[in-house]
Amino acid sequence: MSIKRIALSTGGGDAPGLNAVIRAAVHAALNRGWECIGIREGFNGLLFPERYSDGGLIPLTSNSIRGITHLGGTIIGTTNKGNPMKMPTQREDGTWYEKDRTDDIVQLLKKQNIDALISIGGDGSLTIANALFKKGMRVVGVPKTIDNDLDKTVITFGFDTAVSFATDCVDRLHSTAEAHQRVMVVEVMGRYAGWIALNTGVSGTADVILIPEIPYDIERIAEKIRQREAKGRHFSIIVVAEGAKPKGGTHSVVSKELGRAERLGGAGETVARELQEKTGKETRTVVLGHLLRGGTPTTFDRLIALRFGAAAVRALDEGQNGIMVALDPPTVRYVPLEQATNRMKTVPLDCDTILTARDLGISFGD
Ligand code: F6P
């Protein structure tokens, strides 16, 4: 079936590069004579048009995508609340349950004469995209996350920007840590994978890196700080992934609400408190949090995002369906969504970045 009209959706936490994907995809589509529609905030624009003054669906024209390549965020909005596969829905008796609304999405897309969907998102959004594909929608996914935890692609856009910014922050913390002879604990995002913490910690020459893949022993970290003290290094920098956990323990959760993933947080504060107790050294925590998701994408992320956006349209043009575009250097290739979703790419314990860190004398608290 030939394509006349496509829809674009951005879902989950935003990542620098989303607008670059939109721009490349829309240009490539317009060049083929296709019409492009942006769905506001994931699939909310489709499911809840009454919430939007413009009806929730916006035409994406060459005008609307002008000058957005370098902008963070997403011009069509995103959400990580109300997963349409688990939409919080109220029963008549007032209680809530999670309802699968993917059938409704397929119907609504067809009603809007949408021939194909480009879904730009992380594991959650791509799992929804796969469900829509299985229900008859023509779908191509574009992998996005600052966490870099998506399988079957070497990298996702947003990750490089997040690591570059976090490394800059660690660089800045060195001087103040040394001036005050403190331990500085820097907590970074990444969910259940330690990619951001690992790459930031190695690039920023941290003394300790704590990642979910290597549960830590607080005594080992305290020992590292004492050793540094003995050598006359009266300050230390510790990079902690938000998903880091102690040996025999679990990661720190702030909250779990219906229809959304659990919120992580507090890992850095726990490490800082326990270290201060153990070493007697003044210890401060900096949580970088959402700062890692903002700002201008690095050149690396822009290029990946532009390549992914254009490749998604080429894939549709070539008749591909139910696939995700993925970076397999030096090229972009297609991987079935089924193979890319519902799994997580965590840091392999024998990867050379971990080996490098150990060779540099960085402790993982193990
Ligand atoms: O998945 C991206 C991510 O930034 C995670 O690193 C983090 O745990 C989560 O999103 C935070 O999401 P929210 O926007 O709900 O705070």
Side-chain angles (χ1 to χ4, degrees):
M1 191 188 74
S2 72
I3 294 176
K4 292 194 185 67
R5 192 168 146 91
I6 65 167
L8 274 74
S9 158
T10 52
D14 66 334
L18 281 171
N19 283 324
V21 176
I22 294 173
R23 183 163 185 275
V26 170
H27 262 306
L30 295 178
N31 284 342
R32 286 165 171 79
W34 306 350
E35 202 186 328
C36 295
I37 301 295
I39 306 173
R40 287 220 184 268
E41 298 173 359
F43 292 101
N44 286 348
L46 201 60
L47 290 167
F48 309 106
E50 69 285 357
R51 290 185 188 167
Y52 303 89
S53 55
D54 56 13
L57 301 179
I58 47 167
L60 293 172
T61 62
S62 52
N63 251 348
S64 46
I65 55 159
R66 187 178 302 147
I68 63 169
T69 307
H70 64 291
L71 298 181
T74 155
I75 59 164
I76 54 177
T78 186
T79 180
N80 51 12
K81 276 199 292 237
N83 177 348
M85 290 177 83
K86 294 177 181 174
M87 184 66 78
T89 308
Q90 201 166 21
R91 293 190 187 88
E92 277 182 11
D93 64 5
T95 58
W96 291 82
Y97 71 107
E98 293 178 338
K99 185 178 176 182
D100 184 352
R101 296 210 54 193
T102 46
D103 279 324
D104 297 338
I105 293 178
V106 173
Q107 288 313 315
L108 289 164
L109 285 169
K110 294 203 166 147
K111 212 168 135 197
Q112 291 289 336
N113 297 317
I114 303 290
D115 303 312
L117 169 74
I118 295 182
S119 175
I120 312 158
D123 188 56
S125 308
L126 296 177
T127 301
I128 298 163
N130 195 27
L132 299 177
F133 157 66
K134 286 182 184 162
K135 291 183 175 179
M137 194 64 214
R138 196 158 159 184
V139 179
V140 163
V142 175
K144 162 248 58 164
T145 167
I146 64 163
D147 303 337
N148 195 35
D149 59 352
L150 269 170
D151 202 14
K152 304 289 175 207
T153 180
V154 165
I155 216 147
T156 47
F157 62 87
F159 174 65
D160 185 63
T161 310
V163 170
S164 302
F165 177 74
T167 303
D168 186 28
C169 293
V170 169
D171 288 347
R172 286 162 188 251
L173 288 171
H174 264 94
S175 53
T176 177
E178 188 162 16
H180 287 267
Q181 304 198 345
R182 282 173 176 155
V183 176
M184 297 298 299
V185 174
V186 189
E187 182 186 302
V188 294
M189 282 187 169
R191 294 203 77 76
Y192 312 112
W195 295 106
I196 297 179
L198 177 65
N199 285 19
T200 299
V202 174
S203 309
T205 65
D207 305 295
V208 180
I209 301 173
L210 303 181
I211 58 174
E213 293 84 347
I214 307 179
Y216 64 83
D217 174 349
I218 197 78
E219 188 45 49
R220 303 284 298 161
I221 310 170
E223 195 45 45
K224 170 83 184 173
I225 290 166
R226 287 188 207 110
Q227 282 166 8
R228 282 178 55 76
E229 285 290 317
K231 282 191 222 153
R233 313 271 202 289
H234 301 295
F235 72 98
S236 294
I237 304 279
I238 305 184
V239 177
V240 180
E242 62 178 357
K245 52 187 178 214
K247 277 188 181 154
T250 50
H251 53 263
S252 306
V253 175
V254 176
S255 61
K256 171 74 189 101
E257 289 167 32
L258 212 60
R260 62 187 302 180
E262 61 184 8
R263 252 182 81 198
L264 304 188
E269 201 47 60
T270 303
V271 169
R273 197 182 50 245
E274 293 180 1
L275 275 182
Q276 183 158 319
E277 275 167 25
K278 282 197 177 292
T279 63
K281 279 203 72 74
E282 194 176 15
T283 305
R284 294 288 169 87
T285 315
V286 178
V287 180
L288 296 182
H290 296 84
L291 288 168
L292 300 186
R293 298 220 307 238
T296 298
T298 57
T299 310
F300 181 86
D301 278 341
R302 274 187 223 192
L303 188 57
I304 298 291
L306 292 166
R307 288 170 69 192
F308 278 177
V313 168
R314 284 201 304 276
L316 285 174
D317 206 11
E318 290 164 19
Q320 295 284 342
N321 193 1
I323 58 103
M324 172 185 98
V325 298
L327 187 69
D328 185 8
T331 192
V332 171
R333 67 182 181 102
Y334 311 142
V335 201
L337 279 168
E338 189 68 26
Q339 284 177 22
T341 49
N342 279 318
R343 62 186 76 208
M344 210 195 313
K345 183 178 67 185
T346 52
V347 177
L349 297 186
D350 58 353
C351 73
D352 87 278
T353 314
I354 293 226
L355 301 180
T356 303
R358 292 199 192 276
D359 279 333
L360 288 168
I362 298 173
S363 162
F364 286 95
D366 56 342

